[in-house]
Amino acid sequence: NLVKKYCPKRSAKDEEPRFTSCIAFFNILNELNDYAGQREVVAEEMGHRVYGELMRYSHDLKTERKMHLQEGRKAQQYLDMCWKQMDNSKKKFERECREAEKAQQSYERLDNDTNATKADVEKAKQQLNLRTHMADENKNEYAAQLQNFNGEQHKHYYIVIPQIYKQLQEMDERRTIKLSECYKGFADSERKVIPIISKCLEGMILAAKSVDEHRDSQLVIDCFKSGFEPPGDFPFEDYSQNIYRTISDGTISTPKQEGMRIDSKTTVGKAKGKLWLFGKKPKPQSPPLTPTSLYTSSTPNGSQYPIFSIEPVHYCMSDIKTGKPRIPSFRSLKRGWSVKTGPALEDFSHLPPEQRRKKLQQRIDELNRELQKETDQKDALIKMRDVYEKNPQMGDPSSLQPKLAETMSNMDRLRMEIHKNEAWLSEVEGKVAARTDRRHSSDINHLVTQGRESPEGSYTDDANQEVRGPPQQHAHPNEFDDEFEDDDPLPAIGHCKAIYPFDGHNEGTLAMKEGEILYIIEEDKGDGWTRARRQNGEEGYVPTSYIDVTLEKNSKGS
């Protein structure tokens, strides 16, 4: 969640972060993401090997424990049943003995009675014998039941119950061993990810060490470098000339050219709302001058000093101040620092010279890339048209003419744009070179005798040198190089292997055998054909679907 929250969502137009602190932060985010992934691995291991295994084993233990307890209850119930049988036989034997005693007393009483008949005595004797016989049988049955109960009771307490307790003990020992294994599995899952986590932490340390404050400072300098020259020294204005000037000279004193100066209110009004980097802009001793208000002041020896404007430096410094003064988060750094330079113009003349040169160079590079795309598209259309002309059943060549005309028109437009931007770029580079030469000359002579300020803040000796045309090599490329450019073979950008054989009867095609290895010198432009070369130098087009292409990295355009 932390990585998703702080990792910026870049669009295709956003630039990559340039500051080393931002790059280090993104690297730390990536390492933190890997670290979080390892924590997820630990969580999955705990879920499967620890928690899940314990839950399954706990369910099995409950089932086994229930089975052992049920066996114990059955053994106890069987013992109780044996005791009841023995107790019943005992009670029955006791009852039969009492009946036999009663029958014996009755027989003895009748036998001693003289009034009793013989039949009654015989009957009482038979009853006695019957009861005695039944008492003997119950006695035997009771003895058998007692012996059986004693045996079962011994078996219950010395064999069955100890066996059940032993099984319960073994079950609990297995449970303890399983807990130990799970504890070990938990530690193993942590130990497995320690090397990767250590690498993540090392990557974070390396990312922290990669922060280079000097490089970041240089990026800021390159971003805000204006190219303006600091203001020149204020000249010495000799007010004592009128004292030494006599009336016989026949000259009329020329008042100060107040009208040539720019109203300070107007100058301040243009920079209203812009603050100096170190507070409010300091008021100069004299009103700041622009190229239109530049004038010179004479000294007694006739020398003239140009009065330079300090407005360009104020423009640069105030733009830095009016940029975003705070960086609320790392997301605001991913596109670099932006400078508010007012309304954008086509030639970027509203920017300082260095920034203007960078913008123009970026636009020229973009236009060149677009021109290259249009050129590739034109070549593909021409190639497709040739294929259609040779094989009319594949398509109508005239259907490609509107698209080809549109592509040619786009190429002409892009060339004009490139020419125009190169002219502006040459103008900026020419002024920068002129300013460098003038600065070198000023260092030698320690005095600038003549000068004029260009709109970008540079000074040249001639007003006609303000706008320079593009260098000759930009406007007219070397025709000698173009004439022999196609003599050199195209470099190989990869290789391919023929999957199917190809006859190559048509003109411009290259025959190949199945399994043959060829060099790739031009990719498929969308028409289904790839340009290839044999080792002997023979070139031609082969169907893209007939080959297995392998492009080499960093080889295109080398």
Side-chain angles (χ1 to χ4, degrees):
N1 290 334
L2 285 175
V3 173
K4 291 180 181 179
K5 181 178 179 181
Y6 286 95
C7 191
K9 297 179 181 178
R10 301 192 194 97
S11 61
K13 297 181 180 179
D14 291 337
E15 298 179 358
E16 292 293 328
R18 297 180 297 171
F19 295 103
T20 56
S21 57
C22 301
I23 297 175
F25 180 73
F26 293 142
N27 292 335
I28 288 177
L29 280 182
N30 293 331
E31 297 293 344
L32 185 62
N33 189 25
D34 296 339
Y35 183 91
Q38 297 306 312
R39 301 309 309 170
E40 288 183 355
V41 171
V42 173
E44 291 178 359
E45 287 288 330
M46 289 180 61
H48 292 293
R49 296 186 56 184
V50 180
Y51 175 76
E53 188 68 22
L54 283 179
M55 292 301 293
R56 289 191 296 270
Y57 194 74
S58 174
H59 182 267
D60 296 340
L61 284 180
K62 289 180 179 179
T63 304
E64 185 178 357
R65 181 175 180 273
K66 184 178 180 180
M67 180 185 68
H68 292 322
L69 295 178
Q70 189 174 2
E71 290 178 356
R73 284 193 296 269
K74 288 182 178 179
Q76 188 65 39
Q77 290 175 359
Y78 179 72
L79 183 63
D80 294 341
M81 182 187 67
C82 293
W83 179 82
K84 288 181 179 180
Q85 291 179 354
M86 185 270 296
D87 187 63
N88 290 333
S89 62
K90 176 181 176 182
K91 291 179 179 179
K92 189 175 181 181
F93 172 61
E94 182 181 3
R95 186 174 58 253
E96 291 297 329
C97 287
R98 290 195 189 100
E99 292 295 331
E101 289 178 358
K102 290 180 180 180
Q104 185 176 3
Q105 291 176 1
S106 177
Y107 170 73
E108 291 178 355
R109 182 173 53 83
L110 290 175
D111 187 35
N112 295 328
D113 189 5
T114 56
N115 297 322
T117 60
K118 187 177 181 180
D120 293 335
V121 173
E122 287 294 329
K123 184 177 179 181
K125 186 177 180 180
Q126 292 179 359
Q127 188 68 24
L128 175 61
N129 293 333
L130 179 62
R131 292 295 179 183
T132 302
H133 178 71
M134 291 180 64
D136 292 337
E137 290 181 355
N138 288 322
K139 180 180 179 180
N140 294 333
E141 182 179 359
Y142 168 65
Q145 291 293 336
L146 180 62
Q147 185 179 2
N148 181 44
F149 172 75
N150 290 332
E152 292 295 335
Q153 180 175 268
H154 185 275
K155 181 180 178 182
H156 176 80
Y157 287 106
Y158 287 93
I159 299 176
V160 177
I161 293 300
Q163 184 68 26
I164 294 175
Y165 278 121
K166 185 177 180 180
Q167 292 175 355
L168 289 173
Q169 179 181 352
E170 292 176 355
M171 180 192 70
D172 192 70
E173 289 176 355
R174 290 198 307 272
R175 179 188 65 85
T176 306
I177 294 174
K178 192 66 177 179
L179 283 176
S180 175
E181 293 177 354
C182 291
Y183 297 155
K184 184 179 178 182
F186 168 72
D188 289 339
S189 62
E190 290 280 351
R191 185 169 55 186
K192 285 180 182 178
V193 300
I194 285 178
I196 303 178
I197 290 179
S198 299
K199 290 182 179 179
C200 294
L201 297 178
E202 291 176 0
M204 294 181 185
I205 295 175
L206 292 177
K209 291 181 179 180
S210 67
V211 176
D212 189 355
E213 67 277 8
H214 301 293
R215 181 181 175 186
D216 289 351
S217 300
Q218 190 62 39
L219 287 175
V220 176
I221 293 172
D222 294 338
C223 182
F224 292 105
K225 186 177 181 181
S226 64
F228 286 134
E229 191 171 358
D233 296 335
F234 276 84
F236 177 77
E237 299 182 6
D238 192 359
Y239 294 98
S240 64
Q241 290 181 0
N242 295 331
I243 301 176
Y244 299 106
R245 185 178 299 173
T246 60
I247 302 176
S248 60
D249 292 340
T251 59
I252 302 175
S253 275
T254 303
K256 292 184 179 180
Q257 300 178 4
E258 295 293 339
M260 296 297 292
R261 296 170 181 253
I262 299 298
D263 188 7
S264 61
K265 294 182 178 179
T266 305
T267 305
V268 175
K270 292 181 179 178
K272 187 176 182 180
K274 296 182 178 180
L275 299 178
W276 192 254
L277 180 62
F278 308 106
K280 293 186 178 180
K281 178 185 175 184
K283 295 183 179 180
Q285 297 293 334
S286 300
L289 301 178
T290 59
T292 58
S293 64
L294 183 66
Y295 69 94
T296 58
S297 176
S298 301
T299 59
N301 57 5
S303 301
Q304 291 182 343
Y305 293 92
I307 299 178
F308 302 133
S309 170
I310 64 172
E311 191 67 24
V313 179
H314 165 257
Y315 172 82
C316 176
M317 302 297 282
S318 62
D319 275 351
I320 297 177
K321 184 64 178 177
T322 54
K324 292 184 179 179
R326 294 178 59 192
I327 304 175
S329 65
F330 284 95
R331 297 188 181 185
S332 61
L333 285 176
K334 66 190 179 75
R335 293 181 292 271
W337 291 358
S338 61
V339 183
K340 298 180 180 178
T341 56
L345 300 177
E346 184 182 5
D347 59 350
F348 300 110
S349 59
H350 62 289
L351 296 176
E354 284 293 332
Q355 301 299 322
R356 183 185 181 193
R357 182 182 63 80
K358 291 181 182 178
K359 290 291 184 181
L360 288 173
Q361 188 63 48
Q362 290 178 2
R363 180 186 288 176
I364 290 173
D365 294 339
E366 292 177 0
L367 291 173
N368 283 326
R369 287 193 293 269
E370 293 180 5
L371 180 60
Q372 183 63 35
K373 290 181 182 179
E374 295 292 336
T375 304
D376 295 341
Q377 186 176 359
K378 182 199 72 171
D379 296 341
L381 289 173
I382 292 176
K383 192 184 301 182
M384 189 180 298
R385 184 184 63 183
D386 294 341
V387 172
Y388 287 174
E389 289 176 353
K390 294 177 183 178
N391 300 313
Q393 67 274 11
M394 297 181 66
D396 185 11
S398 60
S399 62
L400 302 176
Q401 194 62 31
K403 185 65 176 177
L404 188 60
E406 181 183 356
T407 304
M408 297 293 290
S409 175
N410 292 336
M411 291 175 62
D412 295 338
R413 177 181 59 80
L414 291 173
R415 288 194 184 98
M416 291 178 61
E417 290 288 334
I418 292 173
H419 179 73
K420 181 170 60 175
N421 283 273
E422 285 179 347
W424 289 334
L425 181 61
S426 301
E427 174 188 352
V428 175
E429 291 177 347
K431 290 179 180 180
V432 172
R435 186 177 74 247
T436 305
D437 295 340
R438 190 192 63 76
R439 183 183 301 171
H440 180 69
S441 176
S442 175
D443 293 338
I444 296 175
N445 298 327
H446 301 286
L447 180 64
V448 180
T449 57
Q450 293 179 353
R452 204 169 75 85
E453 184 181 6
S454 67
E456 285 77 12
S458 62
Y459 304 93
T460 58
D461 295 336
D462 188 3
N464 296 327
Q465 295 179 1
E466 285 293 340
V467 180
R468 295 189 179 185
Q472 190 70 19
Q473 61 269 22
H474 291 289
H476 303 285
N478 195 335
E479 297 178 358
F480 183 82
D481 294 339
D482 293 342
E483 183 177 356
F484 294 94
E485 184 179 0
D486 295 336
D487 292 343
D488 296 334
L490 294 175
I493 61 174
H495 63 276
C496 66
K497 181 179 180 181
I499 305 176
Y500 309 104
F502 180 64
D503 298 334
H505 295 313
N506 296 331
E507 183 181 358
T509 59
L510 181 65
M512 61 181 180
K513 299 179 181 179
E514 183 178 356
E516 186 177 359
I517 304 297
L518 304 174
Y519 293 113
I520 300 296
I521 58 177
E522 186 177 340
E523 292 186 64
D524 187 357
K525 303 298 183 181
D527 55 356
W529 295 88
T530 301
R531 192 174 179 182
R533 181 199 299 145
R534 282 200 179 92
Q535 295 183 358
N536 58 7
E538 185 180 358
E539 299 180 359
Y541 290 94
V542 296
T544 306
S545 59
Y546 281 39
I547 57 176
D548 183 12
V549 179
T550 302
L551 296 179
E552 303 295 338
K553 295 182 179 179
N554 302 325
S555 62
K556 186 176 182 182
S558 60

